[in-house]
Amino acid sequence: MIDLQSASDPNLVVAIARWHEPAMAEAYRRHGGAVHALARRVLRHDPSAEEITQEVFLDLWRHPEKFDSQRGTLRSFLLARTHGKSVDMIRSEESRRRREDQTSRETATAGYDLEHHVWDLTVAEQVKESIAELPEEMRQPIELAYFGGHTYREVASILHAPEGTVKSRIRLGLTRLRTSLAERGVEPAGAPS
Amino acid sequence: MIGSGDSEHEEVAELLGAYALDALEPGEAVRVQAHLEECPRCSTEVARHHEVAGLLANSGAAAPAELWDRIAERLDSPDNPVVSDTPDWEKLAVRLDRPPGIPGVLADQSDQQALAGSASGGAVVPMDQSRRRSRRVTRAVTLVATAAAVLALLLGVQVAHLNSRVGQLQSASSQPGLSRAVQTALEQPSTKRVKLVPSGGPSAGGPTVTVALTTSGTAYLIPQDLSALPSAKTYQLWGEIDGRMISLGLLGPHPAVSAFSVNPTAPVSVFAITAERSGGVLQPTHAPVVQGAVTA
């Protein structure tokens, strides 16, 4: 029997692939909070966030082979799937009507939400510093796209900026963040070098 | 209009940041996905963007406990569709940077594999090496045999350990896989039920293990209220065959419903379970936690 609490994430996924429910519980213990928090942040609807959280972990149970430790951490894998499912949900018709009322508020507070949602015992400060260094014209599109669930076209409309400019700023902003974090010694585990 | 060659690559590259943040229209996302399948450089960039996004989303919030209960209920739910695609264990092992073959979950039992291999020179009880999905195939984790279990193999006994909750088994009659197989077996009048209890007799809340023996030789072990052991120990199943105690396999420190086979020509007269050191032993070193005789 493996010592679950000290097992690496890849080892947990190996155990999950062998239908090991305690390993699944350990994966949920480690990452369920982050998954749920991101879903809540994007969806702003607790029942939907709970549904997404369940689906993300059930997907892991049914298809553990989709996780590739060579491409990134289990946390980033789960969060990417969480975000994708959350965005799919909010782009449904009824969700879009709810969100339209919040768009103007998002624009006003976009610059601050990124910092408020990043907290981790070991990397919080470095991440905050990197975000603070990011020009606002890069930070806002990332915030609106990632936490607001908007397409880059919608972001361009919200910010009254050209679509090509928004695409570039999102891409460049993410690249700058990675460089800045690396300079601060924050290297996502398992990320390709 | 889609460009060709380098221009196509550059057009798609501009979309990679938005793609990583799920900020593309569906058609654009499909275009990028198709490109990523052929462009390692762009795939790497997307992976990096995902990692950064993960850091932005990272939070130290505790996982909601009530949510786990709902997830756990659905892990073996009949509502979960059984998918037809079967993950290739070898591919998964490589991608998870694990050696192919017996996974790390059996690491504690590797020494008894060595025991088995050196004692007999023969094959260890084969583990289920791949994750098979079928409405008829039960889910199996592994029990690695000791040298004594290799001997049991020669007597025609194999052990496969199937992971499932006793509670779910007892409460549901429509669960797929193992649960259904056990239910079916228990419904057969010809199935023999052997009750394993502590030497002092059964007691309220005390451990009980039922072994259901079918006429085909398939047997099911159903534990109830067996206390969990420390990770350095394991429960071990024994069968008395022709006056000798033969190890039938390891149940781990948290036994679940298990299926195994017995040779009808070498019937087991007594089943017993002891608590042993992780990795198992050749002969019981402790008095049985529970035991029961097979009546005619």
Side-chain angles (χ1 to χ4, degrees):
Chain A
M1 189 74 173
I2 60 172
D3 178 5
L4 289 174
Q5 290 206 342
S6 64
S8 67
D9 279 345
N11 275 354
L12 280 187
V13 178
V14 169
I16 288 170
R18 307 299 274 177
W19 304 95
H20 198 257
E21 288 189 20
M24 184 67 184
E26 176 63 16
Y28 178 78
R29 187 191 69 80
R30 295 181 187 183
H31 305 297
V35 167
H36 184 245
L38 177 59
R40 285 184 70 196
R41 175 63 182 88
V42 174
L43 294 166
R44 301 191 184 92
H45 188 236
D46 280 357
S48 299
E50 292 177 356
E51 181 184 336
I52 293 296
T53 302
Q54 291 186 65
E55 288 305 316
V56 166
F57 281 95
L58 286 172
D59 278 355
L60 177 65
W61 178 254
R62 294 168 188 157
H63 299 285
E65 74 281 2
K66 289 187 178 177
F67 169 62
D68 183 351
S69 65
Q70 299 300 314
R71 301 221 62 83
T73 63
L74 179 59
R75 172 71 65 97
S76 66
F77 169 78
L78 292 173
L79 290 177
R81 296 184 74 79
T82 301
H83 192 266
K85 288 177 182 290
S86 300
V87 165
D88 286 345
M89 182 176 279
I90 66 176
R91 287 176 187 171
S92 66
E93 280 304 315
E94 64 264 28
S95 298
R96 181 171 297 137
R97 281 196 292 275
R98 261 202 324 270
R99 285 172 53 241
E100 281 171 356
D101 297 332
Q102 301 177 21
T103 299
S104 57
R105 177 183 172 282
E106 286 176 7
T107 304
T109 60
Y112 300 95
D113 286 350
L114 268 177
E115 292 180 73
H116 293 166
H117 288 88
V118 178
W119 53 290
D120 178 276
L121 290 176
T122 57
V123 302
E125 283 307 310
Q126 289 92 336
V127 174
K128 284 181 183 178
E129 289 172 11
S130 296
I131 291 171
E133 286 179 358
L134 202 63
E136 189 169 340
E137 62 263 24
M138 292 183 188
R139 188 170 62 172
Q140 264 193 326
I142 291 175
E143 147 69 14
L144 286 170
Y146 193 60
F147 292 110
H150 296 287
T151 66
Y152 75 89
R153 294 174 195 263
E154 292 170 344
V155 171
S157 175
I158 293 168
L159 298 178
H160 307 294
E163 292 178 358
T165 300
V166 169
K167 277 190 294 182
S168 297
R169 286 176 178 174
I170 289 174
R171 185 186 183 202
L172 190 55
L174 290 171
T175 302
R176 277 204 189 183
L177 276 173
R178 181 182 168 86
T179 302
S180 176
L181 290 167
E183 289 171 353
R184 288 176 164 76
V186 180
E187 191 68 42
S193 57
Chain B
M1 182 175 176
I2 298 177
S4 61
D6 290 344
S7 64
E8 162 71 3
H9 178 88
E10 288 307 314
E11 284 177 21
V12 172
E14 280 299 306
L15 297 171
L16 296 181
Y19 174 81
L21 302 188
D22 300 303
L24 295 184
E25 301 292 341
E28 292 172 318
V30 170
R31 181 186 177 193
V32 172
Q33 283 165 0
H35 179 79
L36 293 180
E37 288 173 7
E38 340 176 308
C39 184
R41 194 171 73 189
C42 287
S43 291
T44 298
E45 181 177 333
V46 168
R48 289 175 175 169
H49 291 327
H50 275 146
E51 287 295 333
V52 172
L55 285 173
L56 297 178
N58 212 357
S59 80
E66 65 280 6
L67 257 187
W68 168 249
D69 293 336
R70 278 148 51 189
I71 292 170
E73 284 174 5
R74 293 173 65 183
L75 290 181
D76 282 324
S77 168
D79 294 332
N80 275 356
V82 176
V83 297
S84 59
D85 58 312
T86 302
D88 187 310
W89 164 250
E90 297 300 329
K91 286 182 184 173
L92 174 63
V94 169
R95 289 172 63 198
L96 292 174
D97 198 22
R98 298 289 305 171
I102 302 202
V105 68
L106 301 176
D108 290 343
Q109 301 161 343
S110 58
D111 56 342
Q112 75 161 349
Q113 279 183 276
L115 275 176
S118 60
S120 70
V124 178
V125 175
M127 298 301 108
D128 183 41
Q129 295 295 324
S130 65
R131 199 187 197 198
R132 288 190 287 270
R133 296 176 187 262
S134 163
R135 293 191 183 277
R136 295 178 293 113
V137 176
T138 55
R139 292 162 54 169
V141 189
T142 57
L143 282 177
V144 179
T146 60
V150 171
L151 180 61
L153 261 184
L154 299 177
L155 298 175
V157 180
Q158 293 178 317
V159 181
H161 183 195
L162 301 159
N163 191 12
S164 180
R165 290 191 199 167
V166 173
Q168 291 174 347
L169 169 68
Q170 294 179 340
S171 62
S173 60
S174 60
Q175 287 189 357
L178 174 61
S179 297
R180 182 178 295 138
V182 177
Q183 291 289 339
T184 300
L186 292 174
E187 289 166 3
Q188 303 302 315
S190 57
T191 296
K192 235 179 241 183
R193 301 185 189 203
V194 183
K195 198 157 193 177
L196 283 60
V197 298
S199 58
S203 61
T208 301
V209 177
T210 301
V211 171
L213 284 171
T214 69
T215 54
S216 66
T218 301
Y220 301 97
L221 183 140
I222 308 160
Q224 284 175 269
D225 298 319
L226 261 183
S227 304
L229 294 175
S231 58
K233 298 179 79 69
T234 181
Y235 284 109
Q236 190 160 356
L237 175 66
W238 305 89
E240 186 177 299
I241 301 174
D242 292 335
R244 300 169 62 185
M245 289 302 281
I246 305 295
S247 173
L248 301 182
L250 303 183
L251 305 177
H254 306 276
V257 176
S258 306
F260 58 98
S261 300
V262 295
N263 187 344
T265 65
V268 175
S269 56
V270 174
F271 287 101
I273 295 176
T274 61
E276 308 290 352
R277 64 171 176 83
S278 175
V281 293
L282 297 178
Q283 284 295 305
T285 61
H286 295 83
V289 175
V290 291
Q291 64 181 355
V294 180
T295 56

